[in-house]
Amino acid sequence: MQFSLFNPTRIIFGENTIEQIGGAIAEGGYERVLLVAGGGSIKQNGVYDTVISSLADANIERVECWGVRPNPVLGKVGEAIEIARVNNVQAVLAVGGGSVIDTAKAVAAGVFLDDIWQAFEWKVPITQALPIFTVLTLSATGSEMNGNAVLTNEQENKKWGIGNRLLYPKVSIVDPSVQKTLPWDQTVNGALDAIAHILEFYFHGTNEETTIAIDEALIKTIIDSVDKLQVDGLDVDSRANLAWAATLALNGIGGAGMRGGEWACHDIEHSISCLYPEIAHGAGLGIVFPAWMLFTHEANPKQFARFARNIWDCDDIEKAIFKMRTKIESWKGFVRLRDLGIAKDRLSAIAANATMIRSLGRLRVLERSDVESILNIAY
Ligand code: NZQ
Ligand code: ZN
């Protein structure tokens, strides 16, 4: 087993921790921030008020950029970069879910570049970024404790990612209690995304017992927490366990030693939510992942059998996949692409988008026709 693990983000976790954000920014010596936010949920649930009073208490000036939409777009990043430059901000503060955090990360790097998209195309390196702070309101992506950002270039229909050491947040505040205002489907989508992050690594497993054991514990905790939240959405302990598991799913711990993982399902889903931006990332993954597993399991039968046994108490991977889909349905999630309103004759366009620049996957390399087969299984 070999790996190099890097994670400089300080997490402040727990109820009523959001009031610490001003102090955390001031500790870094920053006096003026760009606050990035989404469509307004933080105004409705009180998070915004707590953040601005904490900033005021710490004498931190702020300018604001609102309107980041789910599956965030390059155009909004350009707008926010302009605000950051004109106001000469010293740091970026994201208050929201993964879309807001990813936008903030692109802004943090983009203020130093002529065209941030060139970094997503791997044509320009990121060598500088403003310091990033986050107040997380939706546990899903792990963006609060990783160096990744995913953005849609809406002109070119590309939903691509960047990863860079400079894009790890300096401090992220995770107060799980503010997630009680999430619509149920967003709680489920977040959980499905977190499970998918773990599985992208897990299926590369062979003998990395420590990481595999952590991964299995995280998956079981996520499933158990969602089950409990379905009964009582105000159960703060389950919100907390779900939140921490989602952070650990993509902060490096859950993938240590797994040779970088797989990521074909993510690439496929990113094309779905690129072409259908109204579809949530987690919802797409809940459909694509079981289909990919059916298509791929023979490439690592031992590990898929272990998944069936340890997570679903099954002696057969196909039965386990059936149980997984049944669980998603019990959460009122979708398990078929047709249920998301995608027309069958669009599957080839999704496959073409996903394989625009290269084949996908590592356990089993996927050409465009393979991706189309997986999408058909998922339909
Ligand atoms: O915009 P507002 O009004 O804030 O509402 C949001 C949004 O409508 C709402 N919401 C968030 N917190 C809430 C809340 N509503 C009520 N109460 C709260 N406490 O939830 C909606 C969805 O938010 P969004 O940020 O889009 O969700 P998520 O965190 O799932 O982020 C998804 C994006 O992240 C990317 C995805 O592809 C997608 O674009 N990813 C980022 C990754 C990363 N940076 O590491 C990895 C992932 O694999 C993923 O690709
Ligand atoms: Zn994801």
Side-chain angles (χ1 to χ4, degrees):
M1 180 153 85
Q2 284 195 347
F3 62 88
S4 159
L5 183 60
F6 170 86
N7 200 312
T9 301
R10 175 181 167 208
I11 295 284
I12 302 176
F13 189 98
E15 218 169 327
N16 300 323
T17 48
I18 293 176
E19 59 203 36
Q20 296 179 42
I21 189 63
I25 295 170
E27 249 176 56
Y30 311 111
E31 293 171 351
R32 192 163 48 257
V33 299
L34 173 68
L35 188 159
V36 181
S41 71
I42 61 167
K43 280 208 169 150
Q44 281 152 24
N45 61 13
V47 169
Y48 174 75
D49 288 343
T50 311
V51 168
I52 59 165
S53 89
S54 173
L55 293 179
D57 288 349
N59 294 320
I60 303 208
E61 288 174 35
R62 66 175 201 283
V63 285
E64 300 182 358
C65 178
W66 287 82
V68 173
R69 65 161 220 220
N71 297 315
V73 291
L74 183 60
K76 177 55 75 175
V77 170
E79 190 187 308
I81 288 173
E82 198 49 37
I83 299 172
R85 283 186 180 142
V86 168
N87 292 281
N88 209 13
V89 301
Q90 298 161 330
V92 184
L93 168 61
V95 186
S99 296
V100 169
I101 298 177
D102 288 4
T103 298
K105 288 177 175 178
V107 173
V111 291
F112 298 104
L113 296 172
D114 292 335
D115 175 7
I116 179 63
W117 188 254
Q118 294 303 307
F120 284 78
E121 299 262 0
W122 295 97
K123 291 179 181 156
V124 165
I126 293 171
T127 55
Q128 284 185 84
L130 291 172
I132 298 154
F133 295 83
T134 87
V135 171
L136 181 72
T137 63
L138 166 48
S139 288
T141 63
S143 192
E144 69 278 10
M145 201 178 184
N146 70 41
N148 307 330
V150 182
L151 212 61
T152 297
N153 180 328
E154 66 275 42
Q155 309 285 333
E156 299 181 20
N157 276 343
K158 294 172 176 170
K159 186 175 182 185
W160 290 2
I162 46 174
N164 192 286
R165 286 183 170 215
L166 298 170
L167 300 183
Y168 283 79
K170 296 265 180 244
V171 177
S172 283
I173 298 205
V174 183
D175 176 348
S177 71
V178 305
Q179 300 193 30
K180 61 179 183 264
T181 57
L182 279 171
W184 175 247
D185 61 337
Q186 295 291 3
T187 297
V188 173
N189 294 339
L192 292 173
D193 189 22
I195 291 172
H197 295 154
I198 299 161
L199 294 182
E200 295 283 14
F201 294 110
Y202 181 90
F203 289 121
H204 274 231
T206 49
N207 300 314
E208 303 80 3
E209 188 55 41
T210 307
T211 301
I212 293 170
I214 291 171
D215 287 348
E216 288 175 348
L218 291 175
I219 294 170
K220 286 190 208 172
T221 304
I222 293 168
I223 293 171
D224 182 56
S225 302
V226 178
D227 282 345
K228 287 179 175 155
L229 287 169
Q230 194 167 22
V231 176
D232 176 9
L234 301 178
D235 171 356
V236 189
D237 288 334
S238 296
R239 285 272 172 216
N241 284 310
L242 175 57
W244 185 222
T247 300
L248 290 171
L250 198 53
N251 76 344
I253 304 278
M258 305 300 239
R259 296 167 295 280
E262 175 64 28
W263 302 105
C265 291
H266 264 74
D267 287 335
I268 296 170
E269 195 298 312
H270 285 156
S271 289
I272 293 173
S273 52
C274 174
L275 299 175
Y276 295 86
E278 67 282 10
I279 295 177
H281 173 62
L285 284 169
I287 296 171
V288 170
F289 230 110
W292 173 86
M293 287 160 70
L294 283 167
F295 192 79
T296 310
H297 64 85
E298 282 164 8
N300 189 1
K302 194 172 149 217
Q303 188 68 357
F304 278 85
R306 178 177 175 149
F307 174 76
R309 196 171 55 248
N310 288 1
I311 304 296
W312 300 104
D313 197 20
C314 278
D315 53 8
D316 174 297
I317 184 61
E318 296 198 6
K319 280 188 208 153
I321 294 168
F322 177 78
K323 275 194 162 182
M324 183 173 168
R325 282 176 158 161
T326 305
K327 176 58 78 181
I328 294 170
E329 284 178 317
S330 80
W331 292 339
K332 302 191 187 341
F334 296 113
V335 295
R336 297 281 167 199
L337 284 178
R338 60 171 172 260
D339 297 330
L340 295 182
I342 296 173
K344 192 154 196 196
D345 62 8
R346 294 288 289 155
L347 300 187
S348 64
I350 296 169
N353 186 283
T355 51
M356 191 188 299
I357 50 166
R358 54 177 167 77
S359 53
L360 309 183
R362 298 165 82 188
L363 263 188
R364 180 169 172 183
V365 174
L366 307 176
E367 305 299 341
R368 177 179 166 174
S369 60
D370 302 312
V371 174
E372 213 168 322
S373 300
I374 291 169
L375 291 169
N376 272 293
I377 295 170
Y379 202 80

